[in-house]
Amino acid sequence: MLDRLESLEARYDKLNELLSDPEVINDTKKLRDYSKEQSDLQDIITAYREYKDVTSQLDDAKVMLEDDLDAEMHDMVKLEISELQEQKEELEERLKVLLLPKDPNDDKNVIMEIRGAAGGDEAALFAGDLFRMYSRFAETNGWKIDIMDSNSTGVGGYKEIVFMINGQGAYSKLKFENGAHRVQRVPETESGGRIHTSTATVVVMPEAEEVEVDVHEKDIRVDTFTSSGPGGQSVNTTMSAVRLTHLPTGIVVSIQDEKSQIKNKEKAMKVLRARIYDKFQQEAQAEYDQTRKSAVGSGDRSERIRTYNFPQNRVTDHRIGLTIQKLDQILEGKVDEVIDALLIEEQTKKMEQIGE
């Protein structure tokens, strides 16, 4: 581990030199690539230098303990050694986590798709609740939301809503939200007070750059049509809505959120690239899972991952057996406790795999 850390520190120092080189400063691509690489190394180098400093202090304290000290000084040095040893062990554990293989998509923006599934209007209302939950979580993290397309029910819910979350590390925190979310509550329309169970599905995809997904114009069929609102009625008379069909994969994307056909096509292309990239990722993951159990969050998307029980103010994540009696807070966007637990589980699994 220490050899690898030394190598990374040497690379970090080299990057500092390169970023001061006029030739690099004048080359936009190199400047961007080197800056990102340096930024990615920042946390681990900071922790490693702190580790080296604590280790040096610990060695000095141990040497001091061998000197002829009075009883009071001897006890002080022993206490210092104990505290430094604890710091050293904590930093070692942190460095192990920082050295774990990083998901190359972690820093990306995400495209999320939420759909009401089983449960009719109640499922659509729950889809709306989930959208608001993720919106508030995004606001807390300083991320921005851009609605790509939506199909509202007219009763405050969504049959489907597609949106992008722009922000550093958005995918790293939201990638575990893939799957079926179940809600248990008494609908407002239920006069008998019976608890109903409904579901909404969530798909999270990293935004794909053009260089990552090679989509040829000849492989895309473009159809335009008039946009429609709840119930299917036409809401404008121009052919502004766009449907893109990717012929090799059969993936279809329809966007009608904007009044401009050009803007709708731009949004549709972003969603299309993300879906194609996601399809290839899912296929690669399925192949990987044939030989090894996957980490948290990359399983079957039809799988029920979480239950939101209103009568008991309870949220349960079934993948890690976590139950929290804070449903009201979680729906207000305070999802960190659940996400942090999923991150820890993923890190633990990765460390177990490395140890095998």
Side-chain angles (χ1 to χ4, degrees):
M1 183 176 84
L2 293 177
D3 287 345
R4 188 174 171 201
L5 287 164
E6 282 290 337
S7 174
L8 290 174
E9 186 178 38
R11 176 59 181 168
Y12 183 81
D13 291 338
K14 179 64 177 176
L15 287 166
N16 280 335
E17 290 179 23
L18 289 167
L19 289 169
S20 301
D21 187 331
E23 186 180 326
V24 171
I25 292 170
N26 292 324
D27 187 322
T28 307
K29 186 179 183 306
K30 280 185 179 178
L31 185 63
R32 184 181 66 244
D33 291 348
Y34 289 154
S35 295
K36 185 180 184 308
E37 187 181 353
Q38 184 202 45
S39 176
D40 290 344
L41 288 173
Q42 183 74 52
D43 286 348
I44 196 165
I45 297 306
T46 299
Y48 178 48
R49 287 175 175 171
E50 187 178 347
Y51 171 82
K52 288 199 295 183
D53 182 52
V54 167
T55 301
S56 176
Q57 291 180 55
L58 183 60
D59 291 341
D60 290 345
K62 286 178 177 177
V63 169
M64 189 183 295
L65 199 61
E66 295 171 3
D67 293 342
D68 188 16
L69 304 173
D70 60 45
E72 185 180 355
M73 182 61 75
H74 187 273
D75 289 345
M76 284 177 62
V77 173
K78 280 189 72 176
L79 179 61
E80 184 184 7
I81 287 173
S82 175
E83 291 173 348
L84 287 167
Q85 186 64 43
E86 190 176 329
Q87 286 182 50
K88 182 182 178 184
E89 289 170 5
E90 288 174 357
L91 284 163
E92 282 175 348
E93 289 305 308
R94 188 175 170 215
L95 285 166
K96 284 178 186 176
V97 170
L98 288 168
L99 282 170
L100 288 173
K102 189 177 179 184
D103 186 331
N105 293 319
D106 274 354
D107 291 333
K108 291 184 177 180
N109 302 325
V110 300
I111 291 176
M112 296 187 76
E113 301 179 352
I114 303 175
R115 295 179 178 87
D121 282 346
E122 178 62 16
L125 284 168
F126 181 50
D129 291 337
L130 291 176
F131 171 63
R132 284 185 287 277
M133 179 181 80
Y134 293 126
S135 298
R136 286 165 183 159
F137 180 67
E139 288 169 13
T140 302
N141 283 276
W143 301 335
K144 292 184 178 178
I145 285 187
D146 179 19
I147 295 177
M148 315 292 278
D149 199 33
S150 63
N151 184 356
S152 63
T153 59
V155 293
Y158 293 99
K159 290 180 181 177
E160 175 186 34
I161 183 164
V162 181
F163 57 101
M164 176 176 280
I165 297 181
N166 296 277
Q168 183 74 18
Y171 185 76
S172 69
K173 291 193 174 183
L174 293 168
K175 62 185 174 183
F176 303 113
E177 299 305 296
N178 274 316
H181 295 240
R182 181 175 71 169
V183 63
Q184 295 172 325
R185 63 184 172 190
V186 179
E188 291 180 13
T189 54
E190 174 56 57
S191 57
R194 291 178 300 174
I195 295 173
H196 285 226
T197 298
S198 307
T199 56
T201 59
V202 176
V203 173
V204 183
M205 301 173 289
E207 182 186 16
E209 302 292 338
E210 290 185 44
V211 293
E212 294 172 309
V213 179
D214 196 10
V215 181
H216 299 288
E217 286 289 335
K218 64 180 177 61
D219 292 333
I220 299 174
R221 186 177 74 235
V222 181
D223 298 305
T224 57
F225 53 99
T226 57
S227 58
S228 60
Q233 74 268 28
S234 177
V235 294
N236 91 50
T237 56
T238 62
M239 304 288 279
S240 59
V242 173
R243 181 187 299 110
L244 302 182
T245 304
H246 186 243
L247 301 174
T249 61
I251 293 172
V252 179
V253 177
S254 296
I255 298 290
Q256 60 177 20
D257 202 56
E258 300 284 349
K259 293 180 180 178
S260 158
Q261 185 185 115
I262 293 172
K263 287 183 178 178
N264 280 329
K265 187 177 179 183
E266 286 175 359
K267 285 187 172 184
M269 279 302 298
K270 282 190 176 184
V271 176
L272 182 66
R273 274 198 299 270
R275 286 187 184 170
I276 293 170
Y277 183 69
D278 183 64
K279 175 181 167 63
F280 293 149
Q281 275 200 312
Q282 292 294 312
E283 289 173 352
Q285 186 67 48
E287 189 176 330
Y288 175 84
D289 287 348
Q290 288 179 355
T291 57
R292 178 170 238 155
K293 178 66 178 172
S294 68
V296 171
S298 54
D300 184 357
R301 283 182 174 164
S302 63
E303 176 190 2
R304 187 188 71 211
I305 63 164
R306 197 174 297 151
T307 295
Y308 303 73
N309 184 291
F310 274 69
Q312 298 176 24
N313 195 38
R314 185 188 75 225
V315 174
T316 299
D317 194 289
H318 304 289
R319 294 164 294 181
I320 55 176
L322 175 71
T323 295
I324 302 173
Q325 306 288 148
K326 300 176 183 176
L327 181 144
D328 53 340
Q329 295 179 37
I330 285 171
L331 287 178
E332 287 299 316
K334 297 175 182 176
V335 201
D336 299 88
E337 191 172 343
V338 181
I339 288 173
D340 289 346
L342 289 162
L343 279 167
I344 290 168
E345 178 70 11
E346 183 192 47
Q347 290 168 353
T348 303
K349 286 196 172 188
K350 283 183 177 178
M351 290 181 80
E352 287 172 356
Q353 289 173 2
I354 289 172
E356 290 177 5

